[in-house]
Amino acid sequence: MPDLRQRGPYRPDQQQAIARLERRRLRMGVSLEDLAARSGVRLRRLCRIRSEGRAFARDIKALRFALRAIERERAAEQEALGS
């Protein structure tokens, strides 16, 4: 039987990934409310992720995807206005 004490944490430390997401969010000027709504992560959970520095991989992935989608939409809008 495997030793359960050797297992990793339930929610791994994601401080570096969270810090990168936060820097990108601030650089883009996206509010926490907008990011939460676009990612499907509740605002309360997003605030807890930021304060604790721990998150499920699925939450990090959803937040990255949402920021990428917002970035692409803005680029498309700029391109449309520039044309």
Side-chain angles (χ1 to χ4, degrees):
M1 185 167 181
D3 184 7
L4 297 180
R5 291 175 291 175
Q6 298 299 320
R7 291 177 52 188
Y10 184 57
R11 290 184 305 159
D13 184 352
Q14 297 277 1
Q15 289 181 353
Q16 290 180 345
I18 294 166
R20 283 191 303 270
L21 287 169
E22 185 66 9
R23 284 191 302 270
R24 187 174 178 191
R25 180 188 72 81
L26 292 172
R27 188 175 60 246
M28 293 172 60
V30 176
S31 70
L32 288 175
E33 292 82 4
D34 288 342
L35 181 57
R38 293 293 299 266
S39 66
V41 175
R42 290 185 178 191
L43 181 59
R44 184 174 176 180
R45 174 181 265 174
L46 180 54
C47 291
R48 188 172 37 227
I49 287 170
R50 292 175 66 231
S51 67
E52 293 178 0
R54 300 174 76 77
F56 291 109
R58 67 176 177 261
D59 293 332
I60 297 296
K61 187 175 181 179
L63 294 168
R64 281 185 184 140
F65 184 81
L67 284 174
R68 192 175 313 128
I70 292 169
E71 193 171 49
R72 288 179 180 167
E73 285 176 6
R74 289 181 178 178
E77 288 174 6
Q78 288 297 321
E79 187 177 316
L81 293 175
S83 299

